[in-house]
Amino acid sequence: MLGHFARTVSFISIALLMPAANAGAAQNGHPEQKCNADEIHWTITGLTSVTFDWRGDEDKIRYGATIGYGQTGTGNIPKPLPFSSAGPFRQAPLTALTPNALYHYSIGTCPDHTFRTPFPPGSANFIIDAEGDIGSSRDYKDVLPVQELIAAHVPAAVLVLGDLSLANPNGQASVDQHFNDMMVWSQDVPYMPAWGNHEWDVARNDDLRNYKGRFGLPNPQTSPGVPNPGCCGQDWSWFDYGNARFIAYPEPYTVQTWADWYMKTNRLMDEAQRDPNITFIVTFGHRAPFTSGYHHSDLDLRHYIARLAAKHKKYALNVNGHSHDYERSYPVNGVVSVTAGIGGSELEELNTACLFRLCPKPSWSAFRAMHFGILQLRFTPTVIEGTYICGPGGGGKNDISCTSGSVVDRFTIRAAEK
Ligand SMILES: [Fe+2]
Ligand SMILES: [Fe+2]
């Protein structure tokens, strides 16, 4: 973890000096050099590969073990092509990297940052953050304060649980602003997304091209029933990190979409169940199998999760968004579900005595709160320690008061007996 600490310190100083997109790079004493790239983020695509995405004229990324770099990658035009602005949009897959290694990189003349290949199979003691339903600072004042909670501790990755930019109700400029807002952490921490309904289904003011064209996903999967524009491929993905397998789930485009996901995920979980390096299986996506908030629980998803859980003891946790609140279930068939739609856009409090749709909370609900923040998941050799970190109060009504950065909820999920 020492490496993570060092990264935190150096990253915060860079972030404070250069918070904005297109920050002028003053490298090598040449203040006139301009960094012509923004919306910079990257994904883990395997144990020895990552993919960078950005917008701007810069088309080269230099990278290496030190700030001397030594290797160069090329930002190609992505497919599908995002349409939120003129771009140009770039995507650079970096392969044949050293496993379990920290790299320095610079896009064009942009400031130095670092990326990391995943912890090796079977290893532990890393933190994965999760948040959903985020939006952009163009529309919501609490988006950046929530992202700063992530930047302050630099996790191994962030699972982003759909309803990413909320450009759908707010306009296409919000897509670009969202990816610039995320840069407070997304230059140094992988942005691992799942898609939400706002990426495709509401009023047709946005579609999946703006998102599929901005990420290289690990083990990308194609779902049936995906609408055009935005079809086909990169509907969900999965990756291994240390002692855990993370499997995303797609949006329910048609009734076939989750049936297809279930069949493929069943095989991925069979494999993980047999793999001695994997202790925990985690699923993540947008829709909520258990929520007492604004949206109804998705019973189809609940059904598929129960079937997967019955056959796979390592399956311990599901994380989702959609209802804009925080809610943790007790283990149901051995799986804890956590809604973390707390990324800063708007809380979805209802006009009820408890602000949730169901008062009092249902018997499966262990803890819930109407408040922004982030979910932190620390993976040890034997447990997942979950922590809900308080963010800004924001939005309309809150049902708790807490200091930003303090712990609101803490839970432990033990590994199943082998
Ligand atoms: Fe949402
Ligand atoms: Fe949603």
Side-chain angles (χ1 to χ4, degrees):
M1 294 310 288
L2 266 180
H4 272 186
F5 178 72
R7 290 171 61 200
T8 307
V9 172
S10 62
F11 172 57
I12 287 173
S13 59
I14 290 165
L16 287 173
L17 288 170
M18 296 180 174
N22 286 328
Q27 288 187 329
N28 308 321
H30 297 296
E32 73 279 5
Q33 277 189 334
K34 191 168 163 56
C35 162
N36 285 315
D38 64 0
E39 304 189 28
I40 298 168
H41 56 275
W42 56 283
T43 52
I44 293 164
T45 52
L47 290 175
T48 59
S49 59
V50 301
T51 292
F52 274 83
D53 279 82
W54 69 90
R55 177 179 69 167
D57 292 327
E58 310 284 7
D59 66 350
K60 295 286 185 233
I61 175 170
R62 292 171 298 148
Y63 62 99
T66 68
I67 53 167
Y69 306 122
Q71 288 172 282
T72 304
T74 300
N76 302 309
I77 304 302
K79 266 195 199 154
L81 188 63
F83 63 98
S84 57
S85 61
F89 295 97
R90 313 279 183 188
Q91 186 165 81
L94 307 184
T95 57
L97 301 169
T98 306
N100 189 27
L102 184 72
Y103 279 82
H104 285 262
Y105 76 92
S106 169
I107 292 170
T109 56
C110 299
D112 178 72
H113 279 272
T114 58
F115 70 87
R116 205 190 187 294
T117 49
F119 276 26
S123 62
N125 299 322
F126 55 91
I127 293 173
I128 304 286
D129 282 0
E131 61 167 340
D133 306 277
I134 301 172
S136 82
S137 62
R138 184 171 171 262
D139 311 300
Y140 309 105
K141 68 176 174 46
D142 294 316
V143 171
L144 275 171
V146 172
Q147 307 320 309
E148 279 156 10
L149 292 172
I150 294 171
H153 71 107
V154 190
V158 181
L159 307 178
V160 187
L161 309 167
D163 288 4
L164 307 178
S165 74
L166 299 175
N168 200 313
N170 295 313
Q172 284 294 304
S174 297
V175 183
D176 296 287
Q177 188 60 52
H178 168 84
F179 285 99
N180 279 331
D181 292 338
M182 297 306 110
M183 280 174 66
V184 297
W185 56 262
S186 71
Q187 297 184 87
D188 299 74
V189 177
Y191 181 144
M192 306 303 294
W195 315 138
N197 56 298
H198 276 280
E199 275 74 77
W200 66 282
D201 80 338
V202 184
R204 303 287 176 201
N205 291 324
D206 200 3
D207 67 58
L208 286 160
R209 289 173 295 169
N210 272 332
Y211 307 95
K212 290 182 173 180
R214 274 184 166 92
F215 292 96
L217 297 183
N219 304 300
Q221 305 291 314
T222 300
S223 295
V226 181
N228 254 322
C231 187
C232 304
Q234 296 223 114
D235 297 300
W236 58 282
S237 62
W238 63 272
F239 65 101
D240 291 339
Y241 200 105
N243 62 354
R245 172 161 292 185
F246 297 89
I247 305 173
Y249 52 88
E251 273 291 281
Y253 304 114
T254 68
V255 286
Q256 279 85 42
T257 312
W258 278 346
D260 174 80
W261 173 79
Y262 166 78
M263 277 172 38
K264 291 172 182 164
T265 296
N266 196 31
R267 288 197 289 272
L268 290 172
M269 288 196 183
D270 284 352
E271 200 180 277
Q273 193 64 41
R274 283 194 301 269
D275 186 339
N277 283 319
I278 294 177
T279 305
F280 300 105
I281 302 171
V282 177
T283 51
F284 68 104
H286 186 60
R287 308 286 172 137
F290 290 92
T291 171
S292 62
Y294 182 81
H295 294 284
H296 287 264
S297 300
D298 208 307
L299 299 183
D300 286 348
L301 183 59
R302 191 188 284 189
H303 162 76
Y304 286 123
I305 286 175
R307 284 173 67 182
L308 291 165
K311 289 198 279 177
H312 306 97
K313 283 194 161 37
K314 293 180 182 177
Y315 184 17
L317 176 65
N318 178 69
V319 191
N320 60 267
H322 202 33
S323 282
H324 296 194
D325 56 49
Y326 174 89
E327 186 163 29
R328 168 173 60 88
S329 81
Y330 290 110
V332 179
N333 305 308
V335 177
V336 170
S337 267
V338 183
T339 295
I342 48 180
S345 57
E346 283 177 313
L347 293 169
E348 289 178 334
E349 75 275 16
L350 285 108
N351 190 22
T352 60
C354 68
L355 306 183
F356 283 75
R357 186 170 41 81
L358 302 175
C359 311
K361 65 182 168 68
S363 59
W364 52 257
S365 180
F367 180 84
R368 65 186 185 181
M370 193 65 70
H371 205 287
F372 293 132
I374 55 165
L375 174 64
Q376 257 183 34
L377 303 165
R378 182 179 170 82
F379 290 75
T380 81
T382 53
V383 301
I384 304 172
E385 294 169 359
T387 314
Y388 164 29
I389 305 288
C390 176
K397 293 179 185 162
N398 300 140
D399 57 355
I400 57 163
S401 63
C402 54
T403 310
S404 191
S406 65
V407 174
V408 180
D409 182 35
R410 202 189 286 279
F411 57 95
T412 301
I413 301 172
R414 297 208 165 277
E417 302 283 321
K418 286 189 179 158

